[in-house]
Amino acid sequence: MPAVPIAGTPEQPLYRRVADRVAGLIDAGTLRAGDRVPSVRRLSRQLEVSVSTVVEAYRLLEDRGMVEARPQSGFYVRPAALRDALEPRRSSTQATATVPEIDDFATRVMKEVTEHWEGVSFGSATPNATFLPVTKLNRLMSRVVRLRPDTSASYDTLAGYAKLRTLIARRSLDAGCALEPDDVITTAGAQQALAVCLRAVTKPGDLVAIETPTYHGLLEVLQALHLNALEIATDPREGICLVELEKALDKRKVAAVALIPSYHNPLGHCMSDDDRSQLVKMITERKIPLIEDDVYGELPHEGRRPRACKAFDEEGYVMLCSSFSKTIAPGYRVGWAVPGRFREAVERQKFRLSISVATPTQMAIAEFLADGGFDRHIRRLRRNYRDLSYRYAYTILDAFPKGTRVSRPSGGHVLWVEMPEQIDSTRLYDEASNEKIRFVPGPLFSATDRYRNFLRINTAKPFSDEIERALQTLGKLASKHR
Ligand SMILES: Cc1ncc(COP(=O)(O)O)c(C=O)c1O
């Protein structure tokens, strides 16, 4: 490759222009599947850019599914099967609002995917213990309990453990927010944060606009609070369709909007800054609270974490919800809400639901954050999740019937799989259970019985022969539905 100026608009970062140049060679067939792309040093010399720029460019190509890294060997062009694989289609808006019915099947699936069992589970969206700082955290937990035995003899304050709230406020700078400790209220996980925020701003029978598909736990909260869901068309790359959301907000009386803008579960997309800014303007003008679920915000597959919608919120209509479940310890049940102008109402709801959050777990997490190891830990986690996402996607595309589409998440650790229409994931669920394999069937991600031919796969387990075999078995079972 000659040392010629790199094309692209100057405002594009250099690594993107380098990536586009290599992508052009792949698209043109100059570099073919299985070919080794020029080594990092060679390309850096040829293009007269730094080694780190080339590394970033190759990481971006990896993210796009065009190349893959092989340990101690370099980057290789990926097979077209993965490169050209189609993503699930954009969903459509459901015109009528319906109370989400959580039926017996969904209840059984939720119970089964969260229980410990000896089979292979792609069900619950939980990180794998091997990726989490379990030993260090448990040591910190013993220390705080030893040093502060009094904590178990009283309730924590209503807002939550002060040191932890300070550290959460400090970390929120990375998400573009300038928060004070008193802006933060701790909760028992993000699930409770969602519940208290929704309870604070709605009453039974109200309408809540959501993405479709969306996290099944959000639908559970809507049902528990007797709220109606208005499902808005969502694109697996861009996120919620703002044009359709705006139309819906103008046509109907919507009490709240509840979205997962960063590494959506199950789609994996991340909303752009422009869309976030437009969204916050849209809800602020109409004085409608936006419940922003940021539970995966710290888990981009590439680069820095995105800015939260909260960063664009000048009037306090954004209610940010998050937790340490996906990054440190789901079992500790520590999360938080930043409820903006609805703070008092949220505090009241928290008191009604649980009075306070367990103090020792909050203290142990605060010590972990204060210790400074979090950033290193999170960088490793991001790399692992990115690599695993490819491995799983590749295996699924190989094993599942022709016509299967797989999402290309830009963060987090779940894949959304769209199978050919005649495949019924609820039937597949029972067939797979008989083979000791579990996943979450598509219909659980909708209030209106959609996504029957979809399923969600958690990709946070280290890849192994057992995982590969389980995905192949799932693919074979799915093929029998044709
Ligand atoms: C999008 C989303 N929000 C909230 C939660 C619940 O998180 P927590 O364990 O912190 O309650 C989950 C868990 O899977 C999730 O995927």
Side-chain angles (χ1 to χ4, degrees), residues 316-394:
Y317 282 97
V318 178
M319 309 173 83
L320 181 114
C321 300
S322 195
S323 78
F324 296 105
S325 295
K326 309 298 172 188
T327 52
I328 304 183
Y332 274 41
R333 309 305 301 132
V334 177
W336 67 94
V338 183
R341 58 169 58 224
F342 306 101
R343 189 197 154 89
E344 248 177 63
V346 168
E347 263 187 356
R348 204 160 48 242
Q349 292 303 336
K350 176 180 168 184
F351 184 82
R352 281 182 190 168
L353 269 181
S354 60
I355 303 180
S356 65
V357 176
T359 322
T361 48
Q362 291 186 78
M363 291 173 78
I365 289 200
E367 291 313 310
F368 183 77
L369 293 178
D371 195 45
F374 186 68
D375 284 317
R376 205 170 346 109
H377 158 67
I378 210 89
R379 274 198 298 276
R380 208 172 36 236
L381 208 54
R382 290 170 180 175
R383 271 199 308 275
N384 280 328
Y385 288 160
R386 185 195 56 215
D387 294 349
L388 285 169
S389 177
Y390 297 145
R391 268 319 276 282
Y392 276 74
Y394 183 64

Side-chain angles (χ1 to χ4, degrees), residues 208-355:
V208 178
I210 56 174
E211 293 135 331
T212 184
T214 196
Y215 164 54
H216 49 80
L218 172 63
L219 297 174
E220 294 266 2
V221 176
L222 296 188
Q223 199 211 22
L225 300 179
H226 305 290
L227 296 168
N228 292 321
L230 178 56
E231 298 183 324
I232 307 288
T234 305
D235 181 89
R237 274 289 169 104
E238 318 270 317
I240 192 161
C241 172
L242 291 178
V243 174
E244 302 220 1
L245 177 64
E246 186 158 37
K247 259 198 261 165
L249 297 185
D250 287 341
K251 221 163 57 200
R252 318 187 65 137
K253 193 168 168 356
V254 171
V257 178
L259 307 181
I260 311 160
S262 303
Y263 317 122
H264 182 266
N265 174 5
L267 291 173
H269 63 256
C270 184
M271 276 177 86
S272 68
D273 273 2
D274 282 353
D275 280 0
R276 285 175 201 253
S277 152
Q278 203 186 322
L279 168 67
V280 174
K281 188 161 170 277
M282 191 187 294
I283 58 107
T284 303
E285 278 168 3
R286 291 166 178 79
K287 301 190 186 323
I288 299 173
L290 166 67
I291 289 147
E292 175 182 23
D293 183 341
D294 189 51
V295 86
Y296 296 100
E298 292 273 11
L299 295 174
H301 289 170
E302 191 217 345
R304 295 166 62 87
R305 67 144 294 152
R307 285 207 275 176
C309 293
K310 187 78 197 164
F312 300 87
D313 178 31
E314 285 171 11
E315 310 228 357
Y317 282 97
V318 178
M319 309 173 83
L320 181 114
C321 300
S322 195
S323 78
F324 296 105
S325 295
K326 309 298 172 188
T327 52
I328 304 183
Y332 274 41
R333 309 305 301 132
V334 177
W336 67 94
V338 183
R341 58 169 58 224
F342 306 101
R343 189 197 154 89
E344 248 177 63
V346 168
E347 263 187 356
R348 204 160 48 242
Q349 292 303 336
K350 176 180 168 184
F351 184 82
R352 281 182 190 168
L353 269 181
S354 60
I355 303 180

